[in-house]
Amino acid sequence: MPSATEPTAGEQPAIEAPMAAERRGAAAQRPVTAVRRTRLLRALALFSTGLLAGAFGYGAANLVPTFNAVPIGMRLGFHAELMKMNGITMQATMAVSALSTLALAASVRGRARVLAGAAGLLTVSSFLITRFGNVPINGRIKQWAATSPPPGHAEVLRRWELFNDARTATAVLAFGLLIALTHQRSSAGPAPHRLSPPASSGRRGDPEHTA
């Protein structure tokens, strides 16, 4: 004989039904949260990498030719002051771009993962080229601006321009890969909805619902 606190056979389905519905709702919520996180990472990666590619591209197309057109003393002084600001803004942009693209690669699958991973590695390459190629030369340029450029300074400045071209190319390629990834996701369109069969309102064995 069941106790007063133990649910009877008729009460058991009524207790389990809300619990099952709650579990189904939680399971459905997890994919929605993952999709939102992926969209946020994709937007952040696209924005930061585009900003990085645009900044490097502007420098290569406009600043470097201007550097070469002005007297060497003016070029060194302007270069030294410009790098003070770039040391903060550009490295922060590279960090956000690299982290967001690599996180995006970890959250997607298939070809999208390959594109995002390659974009992340290219962005990391831009950082490494800047850190070990441009930054040491920037330190020498700062010293020259305070004194005078030594013999052979033109070759050192040329190496800085080559490093700048390389990091610009890697940033632009990374941005292009993210554009391709976004276009791929847009072309795929939303996933088709699966139609579930209508639930029967009757219970098996009920005389009112059997032929």
Side-chain angles (χ1 to χ4, degrees):
M1 181 175 180
S3 63
T5 59
E6 183 179 350
T8 63
E11 293 174 341
Q12 189 71 21
I15 295 175
E16 292 180 351
M19 296 175 62
E22 183 178 351
R23 287 194 296 267
R24 287 195 299 270
Q29 185 67 23
R30 284 194 292 270
V32 173
T33 303
V35 168
R36 289 177 180 172
R37 182 172 61 250
T38 300
R39 288 177 178 174
L40 178 62
L41 287 172
R42 188 166 63 242
L44 181 60
L46 191 64
F47 174 77
S48 59
T49 307
L51 188 63
L52 182 67
F56 280 154
Y58 176 83
N62 296 280
L63 288 180
V64 172
T66 304
F67 284 162
N68 295 328
V70 299
I72 185 63
M74 183 182 296
R75 183 241 168 98
L76 296 177
F78 182 75
H79 190 126
E81 291 299 322
L82 180 64
M83 292 308 114
K84 289 181 182 179
M85 299 302 300
N86 282 359
I88 300 173
T89 58
M90 296 307 297
Q91 293 194 41
T93 305
M94 282 187 281
V96 173
S97 176
L99 292 175
S100 59
T101 49
L102 293 176
L104 177 63
S107 66
V108 293
R109 298 290 183 271
R111 186 168 181 264
R113 168 170 285 185
V114 174
L115 292 173
L121 292 177
L122 286 168
T123 306
V124 172
S125 298
S126 293
F127 173 79
L128 294 176
I129 292 169
T130 300
R131 180 64 185 84
F132 297 104
N134 296 93
V135 170
I137 298 177
N138 289 339
R140 299 174 68 177
I141 291 175
K142 184 178 179 181
Q143 294 176 353
W144 298 347
T147 56
S148 61
H153 68 275
E155 179 60 28
V156 177
L157 295 177
R158 178 58 184 160
R159 285 208 312 270
W160 185 94
E161 293 176 11
L162 291 175
F163 286 131
N164 186 63
D165 291 340
R167 67 181 181 178
T168 300
T170 53
V172 171
L173 284 174
F175 185 48
L177 290 177
L178 290 175
I179 292 176
L181 186 153
T182 303
H183 178 71
Q184 171 187 292
R185 303 292 295 178
S186 300
S187 300
H193 295 285
R194 294 182 180 178
L195 298 177
S196 57
S200 174
S201 59
R203 288 177 298 180
R204 186 180 301 175
D206 193 335
E208 293 182 2
H209 298 87
T210 56

